[in-house]
Amino acid sequence: MDQKMARVDISLIVRDKSARIKKGRCVYIIASQDFPKGPGNPISGREEAEDTTPHRLVMLGLIAALKRIRRPSLITIHTTCQYLANGHKNLNVWKTNGWKRSGDRELKNADLWQEIDKQLSGHAVRFQTEF
């Protein structure tokens, strides 16, 4: 790990697990002992969306949280969303395939995967899928 990288934890919480959500919210909490201003003081926020899925909602929450991190960091993402954790492993393959799955099949949520890829640039990332 680069000594200059801050260690950052992002926790993503989506309570509604229905297939479709009429109006949902993803809460994110960003915490780091390495932030120069107020180490250990968490930053929180939320993303809201209507007529969506839990997967899209947690992805929107992650994007909003990542936009608040301004310097290269070692980020641990805490989520119960296996879709997000497993999808992250495939980002380079999807990017190489023009944001499509193998066999030229459509990639669901490609718009959000592209934004996540952009926001993760310059960071080292790992997932913790148990709270």
Side-chain angles (χ1 to χ4, degrees), residues 12 14 26 47 54-64 81 83-84 108-114 116:
L12 301 167
V14 174
C26 178
E47 251 335 275
H55 293 158
R56 283 189 72 82
L57 200 51
V58 77
M59 293 171 80
L60 289 167
L62 176 59
I63 290 165
C81 183
Y83 174 78
L84 182 61
K108 290 183 181 177
N109 303 311
D111 58 331
L112 298 180
W113 285 120
Q114 289 173 47
I116 288 171

Side-chain angles (χ1 to χ4, degrees), residues 32-127:
S32 176
Q33 293 298 318
D34 297 328
F35 286 159
K37 295 180 182 176
N41 293 331
I43 300 166
S44 64
R46 68 178 183 238
E47 251 335 275
E48 296 179 346
E50 293 183 12
D51 192 29
T52 191
T53 66
H55 293 158
R56 283 189 72 82
L57 200 51
V58 77
M59 293 171 80
L60 289 167
L62 176 59
I63 290 165
L66 290 169
K67 286 181 176 181
R68 297 186 74 172
I69 300 172
R70 305 227 189 308
R71 65 186 237 210
S73 301
L74 170 58
I75 300 172
T76 302
I77 299 168
H78 302 269
T79 181
T80 57
C81 183
Q82 293 290 334
Y83 174 78
L84 182 61
N86 292 335
H88 173 261
K89 296 174 191 173
N90 295 311
L91 281 177
N92 286 333
V93 173
W94 293 334
K95 192 176 192 176
T96 301
N97 290 341
W99 297 101
K100 295 199 181 257
R101 295 173 49 208
S102 62
D104 204 34
R105 294 178 302 171
E106 175 190 0
L107 174 62
K108 290 183 181 177
N109 303 311
D111 58 331
L112 298 180
W113 285 120
Q114 289 173 47
E115 185 62 25
I116 288 171
D117 181 57
K118 176 182 167 187
Q119 294 300 323
L120 288 175
S121 179
H123 300 296
V125 180
R126 60 185 174 196
F127 279 81

Side-chain angles (χ1 to χ4, degrees), residues 11-31:
S11 298
L12 301 167
I13 303 153
V14 174
R15 295 185 192 254
D16 193 340
K17 306 289 189 215
S18 329
R20 292 298 292 176
I21 300 170
K22 287 185 181 185
K23 185 171 184 174
R25 176 180 6 184
C26 178
V27 174
Y28 62 84
I29 302 166
I30 305 167

